[in-house]
PDB file of all heavy atoms in Angstrom:
ATOM      1  N   VAL A 269       0.501 -11.021  -4.147  1.00  0.00           N
ATOM      2  CA  VAL A 269       0.865 -10.224  -2.985  1.00  0.00           C
ATOM      3  C   VAL A 269       2.378 -10.222  -2.760  1.00  0.00           C
ATOM      4  O   VAL A 269       2.977  -9.167  -2.459  1.00  0.00           O
ATOM      5  CB  VAL A 269       0.134 -10.749  -1.743  1.00  0.00           C
ATOM      6  CG1 VAL A 269       0.635 -10.052  -0.492  1.00  0.00           C
ATOM      7  CG2 VAL A 269      -1.373 -10.546  -1.872  1.00  0.00           C
ATOM      8  N   LEU A 270       3.014 -11.384  -2.934  1.00  0.00           N
ATOM      9  CA  LEU A 270       4.478 -11.466  -2.777  1.00  0.00           C
ATOM     10  C   LEU A 270       5.201 -10.596  -3.804  1.00  0.00           C
ATOM     11  O   LEU A 270       6.130  -9.869  -3.465  1.00  0.00           O
ATOM     12  CB  LEU A 270       4.934 -12.914  -2.876  1.00  0.00           C
ATOM     13  CG  LEU A 270       4.606 -13.839  -1.694  1.00  0.00           C
ATOM     14  CD1 LEU A 270       5.049 -15.260  -2.005  1.00  0.00           C
ATOM     15  CD2 LEU A 270       5.301 -13.336  -0.439  1.00  0.00           C
ATOM     16  N   VAL A 271       4.757 -10.706  -5.061  1.00  0.00           N
ATOM     17  CA  VAL A 271       5.386  -9.883  -6.114  1.00  0.00           C
ATOM     18  C   VAL A 271       5.204  -8.412  -5.822  1.00  0.00           C
ATOM     19  O   VAL A 271       6.110  -7.594  -6.029  1.00  0.00           O
ATOM     20  CB  VAL A 271       4.790 -10.283  -7.490  1.00  0.00           C
ATOM     21  CG1 VAL A 271       5.295  -9.316  -8.559  1.00  0.00           C
ATOM     22  CG2 VAL A 271       5.190 -11.700  -7.851  1.00  0.00           C
ATOM     23  N   ALA A 272       4.016  -8.034  -5.324  1.00  0.00           N
ATOM     24  CA  ALA A 272       3.762  -6.634  -5.024  1.00  0.00           C
ATOM     25  C   ALA A 272       4.663  -6.141  -3.875  1.00  0.00           C
ATOM     26  O   ALA A 272       5.169  -5.009  -3.908  1.00  0.00           O
ATOM     27  CB  ALA A 272       2.292  -6.450  -4.645  1.00  0.00           C
ATOM     28  N   LEU A 273       4.872  -6.982  -2.870  1.00  0.00           N
ATOM     29  CA  LEU A 273       5.751  -6.584  -1.767  1.00  0.00           C
ATOM     30  C   LEU A 273       7.183  -6.370  -2.238  1.00  0.00           C
ATOM     31  O   LEU A 273       7.844  -5.432  -1.820  1.00  0.00           O
ATOM     32  CB  LEU A 273       5.706  -7.657  -0.676  1.00  0.00           C
ATOM     33  CG  LEU A 273       4.433  -7.723   0.180  1.00  0.00           C
ATOM     34  CD1 LEU A 273       4.487  -8.909   1.118  1.00  0.00           C
ATOM     35  CD2 LEU A 273       4.247  -6.416   0.954  1.00  0.00           C
ATOM     36  N   VAL A 274       7.636  -7.232  -3.114  1.00  0.00           N
ATOM     37  CA  VAL A 274       8.995  -7.086  -3.654  1.00  0.00           C
ATOM     38  C   VAL A 274       9.109  -5.830  -4.511  1.00  0.00           C
ATOM     39  O   VAL A 274      10.111  -5.120  -4.488  1.00  0.00           O
ATOM     40  CB  VAL A 274       9.399  -8.331  -4.478  1.00  0.00           C
ATOM     41  CG1 VAL A 274      10.735  -8.122  -5.156  1.00  0.00           C
ATOM     42  CG2 VAL A 274       9.462  -9.558  -3.547  1.00  0.00           C
ATOM     43  N   ALA A 275       8.046  -5.512  -5.271  1.00  0.00           N
ATOM     44  CA  ALA A 275       8.069  -4.372  -6.199  1.00  0.00           C
ATOM     45  C   ALA A 275       7.929  -3.039  -5.473  1.00  0.00           C
ATOM     46  O   ALA A 275       8.430  -2.027  -5.959  1.00  0.00           O
ATOM     47  CB  ALA A 275       6.992  -4.516  -7.238  1.00  0.00           C
ATOM     48  N   THR A 276       7.269  -3.023  -4.333  1.00  0.00           N
ATOM     49  CA  THR A 276       6.942  -1.751  -3.666  1.00  0.00           C
ATOM     50  C   THR A 276       7.752  -1.498  -2.395  1.00  0.00           C
ATOM     51  O   THR A 276       7.628  -0.454  -1.783  1.00  0.00           O
ATOM     52  CB  THR A 276       5.436  -1.701  -3.287  1.00  0.00           C
ATOM     53  OG1 THR A 276       5.132  -2.830  -2.449  1.00  0.00           O
ATOM     54  CG2 THR A 276       4.586  -1.753  -4.540  1.00  0.00           C
ATOM     55  N   THR A 277       8.577  -2.443  -1.982  1.00  0.00           N
ATOM     56  CA  THR A 277       9.408  -2.293  -0.794  1.00  0.00           C
ATOM     57  C   THR A 277      10.859  -2.617  -1.129  1.00  0.00           C
ATOM     58  O   THR A 277      11.136  -3.306  -2.136  1.00  0.00           O
ATOM     59  CB  THR A 277       8.945  -3.212   0.341  1.00  0.00           C
ATOM     60  OG1 THR A 277       9.088  -4.587  -0.055  1.00  0.00           O
ATOM     61  CG2 THR A 277       7.476  -2.954   0.697  1.00  0.00           C
ATOM     62  N   PRO A 278      11.805  -2.157  -0.311  1.00  0.00           N
ATOM     63  CA  PRO A 278      13.211  -2.533  -0.552  1.00  0.00           C
ATOM     64  C   PRO A 278      13.559  -3.947  -0.164  1.00  0.00           C
ATOM     65  O   PRO A 278      14.733  -4.342  -0.260  1.00  0.00           O
ATOM     66  CB  PRO A 278      13.968  -1.511   0.331  1.00  0.00           C
ATOM     67  CG  PRO A 278      13.001  -1.145   1.398  1.00  0.00           C
ATOM     68  CD  PRO A 278      11.663  -1.183   0.787  1.00  0.00           C
ATOM     69  N   LEU A 279      12.589  -4.733   0.254  1.00  0.00           N
ATOM     70  CA  LEU A 279      12.832  -6.106   0.649  1.00  0.00           C
ATOM     71  C   LEU A 279      13.016  -7.012  -0.564  1.00  0.00           C
ATOM     72  O   LEU A 279      12.418  -6.796  -1.597  1.00  0.00           O
ATOM     73  CB  LEU A 279      11.694  -6.639   1.503  1.00  0.00           C
ATOM     74  CG  LEU A 279      11.405  -5.892   2.823  1.00  0.00           C
ATOM     75  CD1 LEU A 279      10.155  -6.469   3.497  1.00  0.00           C
ATOM     76  CD2 LEU A 279      12.604  -5.951   3.764  1.00  0.00           C
ATOM     77  N   SER A 280      13.850  -8.012  -0.407  1.00  0.00           N
ATOM     78  CA  SER A 280      14.034  -9.001  -1.449  1.00  0.00           C
ATOM     79  C   SER A 280      13.003 -10.131  -1.260  1.00  0.00           C
ATOM     80  O   SER A 280      12.306 -10.201  -0.251  1.00  0.00           O
ATOM     81  CB  SER A 280      15.448  -9.601  -1.393  1.00  0.00           C
ATOM     82  OG  SER A 280      15.652 -10.296  -0.186  1.00  0.00           O
ATOM     83  N   LEU A 281      12.910 -10.992  -2.275  1.00  0.00           N
ATOM     84  CA  LEU A 281      11.970 -12.096  -2.196  1.00  0.00           C
ATOM     85  C   LEU A 281      12.280 -13.026  -1.020  1.00  0.00           C
ATOM     86  O   LEU A 281      11.379 -13.514  -0.340  1.00  0.00           O
ATOM     87  CB  LEU A 281      11.974 -12.875  -3.505  1.00  0.00           C
ATOM     88  CG  LEU A 281      10.979 -14.040  -3.604  1.00  0.00           C
ATOM     89  CD1 LEU A 281       9.565 -13.537  -3.447  1.00  0.00           C
ATOM     90  CD2 LEU A 281      11.127 -14.751  -4.944  1.00  0.00           C
ATOM     91  N   ALA A 282      13.561 -13.262  -0.769  1.00  0.00           N
ATOM     92  CA  ALA A 282      13.964 -14.115   0.353  1.00  0.00           C
ATOM     93  C   ALA A 282      13.552 -13.493   1.697  1.00  0.00           C
ATOM     94  O   ALA A 282      13.053 -14.190   2.583  1.00  0.00           O
ATOM     95  CB  ALA A 282      15.481 -14.353   0.346  1.00  0.00           C
TER      96      ALA A 282
END
Side-chain angles (χ1 to χ4, degrees):
V269 172
L270 287 177
V271 172
L273 287 174
V274 174
T276 58
T277 63
L279 299 176
S280 64
L281 182 60

